[in-house]
Amino acid sequence: MRLRRLHLTLALVATAGLAGCTPEEETEVKSAEISTPTSIALEGAAPRPTLTGTEVFARQCANCHAAGDDHTGSFQLARSRGEEYAVLEERTDLSADYIRQVVRTGINTMPGFSKVDITEQEMSALTDYLVKTE
């Protein structure tokens, strides 16, 4: 999936780059050697900021899983499992392994999130945030 996104991005960049070219420049660009995705490096790129579990939840989960019927994940959990299961932040029955499994692979209509979407460090912060011990 990640490789497919990269290929699509490269194709879009190449297409956008050709938009303003003269025919001579277009031929030159088309004949240029394009590196493979494995050779692309993000040198000089700023490191991804470290997020807390609360921040990961707010960025990646809250749109569907915050409290309220206007959040599809919470609404669906309330309908299928009961109100006590609706709001993830209020649940006490979630384990780190379960959260990790569902987040990575998805469940029902929820898509899975790759390690690009939610890094391992962010996943640990998220599970620490959602897992509550009584």
Side-chain angles (χ1 to χ4, degrees):
M1 179 83 162
R2 183 174 162 189
L3 188 58
R4 194 167 106 198
R5 284 185 194 167
L6 184 57
H7 283 223
L8 179 59
T9 302
L10 290 173
L12 291 172
V13 168
T15 303
L18 293 175
C21 293
T22 64
E24 297 81 27
E25 292 171 327
E26 187 174 326
T27 303
E28 187 176 309
V29 171
K30 282 183 181 176
S31 64
E33 185 176 328
I34 298 176
S35 63
T36 61
T38 55
S39 67
I40 295 174
L42 299 176
E43 293 178 28
R48 190 165 169 165
T50 302
L51 300 176
T52 66
T54 306
E55 292 168 329
V56 175
F57 187 86
R59 287 186 181 190
Q60 299 288 7
C61 311
N63 192 43
C64 294
H65 290 288
D69 286 347
D70 56 335
H71 299 281
T72 56
S74 297
F75 176 77
Q76 188 59 35
L77 283 168
R79 276 186 65 209
S80 63
R81 307 250 350 253
E83 285 294 328
E84 65 274 15
Y85 294 98
V87 182
L88 297 182
E89 291 175 292
E90 295 174 2
R91 289 179 59 176
T92 59
D93 65 323
L94 298 171
S95 71
D97 289 339
Y98 180 75
I99 294 166
R100 185 177 303 279
Q101 177 69 26
V102 170
V103 170
R104 289 289 182 231
T105 62
I107 189 168
N108 297 326
T109 59
M110 177 185 148
F113 290 81
S114 73
K115 291 180 181 180
V116 172
D117 300 320
I118 299 176
T119 66
E120 282 301 315
Q121 185 177 15
E122 291 167 344
M123 180 67 79
S124 293
L126 179 63
T127 58
D128 288 349
Y129 174 66
L130 290 176
V131 173
K132 300 184 178 53
T133 54
E134 293 186 292

